[in-house]
Amino acid sequence: MLGLGKGRISILSQLHEQGHFAIIFGHCLSSNSKDYGFMFIGEDFDYPRCLTWLLTEVIYGNHEQSLLGRNQPFVLDSGATYTHFLDPLYQQLLTKIAEMPLQKVPGDDVYPDCWEDTRPFTSISDLRNLFSSLYLKSGNGQGLEIPPENYLIIMEDGDVCLAILNGFAHGMNNFNLIGAISMQNVMVVYDNEQQQIGWAPVIGCTQPLNCPP
């Protein structure tokens, strides 16, 4: 276990006090089981130009008429497997999905909200053909895309279930949580120098972001 928090006991704070690194770290989680992704400590590229900062809106399908929530409080936690939305954001997402020609089916204790199509879901392309991406948009209009494979899971029987869980049902009352499943193929930077979090898509998470000039 490697402590990367803001406290003085963390390895990041200790290295900073010794003059080695800025109090900045980032990671990228790969969706490919053969790739491990990467993590870095310190500042080794012009990251402020490369990243989107500050979440404010949640949109389904990247259309303003599909706005699910504005000024939403979020926490990014790669140590949590699933993403959690609070009501009414969670219920509004369910309403959007219910507009599609899918049959709601019983889920289980982990995934309570599931659907079936006329044929079993078998691949990511099946998801993308029916479901839209979620966009967490910032004040400057840029957004973090959460594609269907980053918030849905295909079950063994071919049903598809929502991997965004009800935050209230899991004891969360004050904020929405973006878990590891929704961070796949996204580089996330935790900048404790400026007290901000930024992100950028990175295909495959095989190497750090190549920031364009």
Side-chain angles (χ1 to χ4, degrees):
M1 180 176 290
L2 186 66
L4 294 171
K6 294 185 289 185
R8 292 191 64 187
I9 196 173
S10 76
I11 185 67
L12 188 59
S13 296
Q14 293 182 54
L15 290 171
H16 174 69
E17 288 185 358
Q18 296 174 24
H20 296 301
F21 295 108
I23 314 178
I24 299 167
F25 74 96
H27 60 67
C28 195
L29 307 176
S30 177
S31 62
N32 188 337
S33 60
K34 296 181 180 179
D35 297 323
Y36 295 101
F38 62 83
M39 185 185 77
F40 68 87
I41 295 175
E43 180 182 357
D44 59 356
F45 64 98
D46 189 10
Y47 69 91
R49 291 191 301 110
C50 305
L51 305 178
T52 297
W53 305 90
L54 182 63
L55 308 180
T56 59
E57 297 178 350
V58 183
I59 295 175
Y60 182 79
N62 203 25
H63 299 292
E64 293 300 328
Q65 62 267 29
S66 296
L67 178 69
L68 300 182
R70 180 176 278 118
N71 297 324
Q72 295 288 319
F74 278 92
V75 169
L76 277 71
D77 183 3
S78 57
T81 301
Y82 303 111
T83 292
H84 296 73
F85 281 179
L86 302 180
D87 288 336
L89 184 61
Y90 181 77
Q91 298 300 330
Q92 290 171 337
L93 177 58
L94 290 180
T95 298
K96 279 294 178 185
I97 295 176
E99 295 174 357
M100 295 185 292
L102 298 171
Q103 178 65 40
K104 187 81 184 293
V105 295
D108 56 26
D109 292 340
V110 178
Y111 307 106
D113 298 296
C114 302
W115 297 265
E116 65 178 8
D117 199 3
T118 53
R119 60 184 182 84
F121 290 93
T122 60
S123 67
I124 289 175
S125 61
D126 291 341
L127 299 180
R128 291 177 177 171
N129 287 337
L130 278 174
F131 294 87
S132 295
S133 292
L134 284 167
Y135 293 86
L136 308 184
K137 301 197 75 174
S138 66
N140 61 11
Q142 295 178 299
L144 167 63
E145 180 183 2
I146 302 180
E149 62 269 24
N150 280 15
Y151 71 87
L152 297 165
I153 185 168
I154 298 175
M155 309 301 285
E156 290 183 359
D157 60 5
D159 294 341
V160 65
C161 296
L162 187 63
I164 295 177
L165 307 181
N166 188 324
F168 284 135
H170 289 79
M172 298 180 186
N173 297 308
N174 300 317
F175 55 82
N176 303 285
L177 186 147
I178 303 298
I181 190 170
S182 298
M183 297 186 198
Q184 295 177 100
N185 301 321
V186 175
M187 187 180 73
V188 181
V189 175
Y190 303 86
D191 184 347
N192 292 322
E193 298 273 351
Q194 302 296 325
Q195 297 295 304
Q196 59 185 1
I197 297 176
W199 66 86
V202 179
I203 297 174
C205 286
T206 56
Q207 59 185 1
L209 181 67
N210 181 16
C211 185

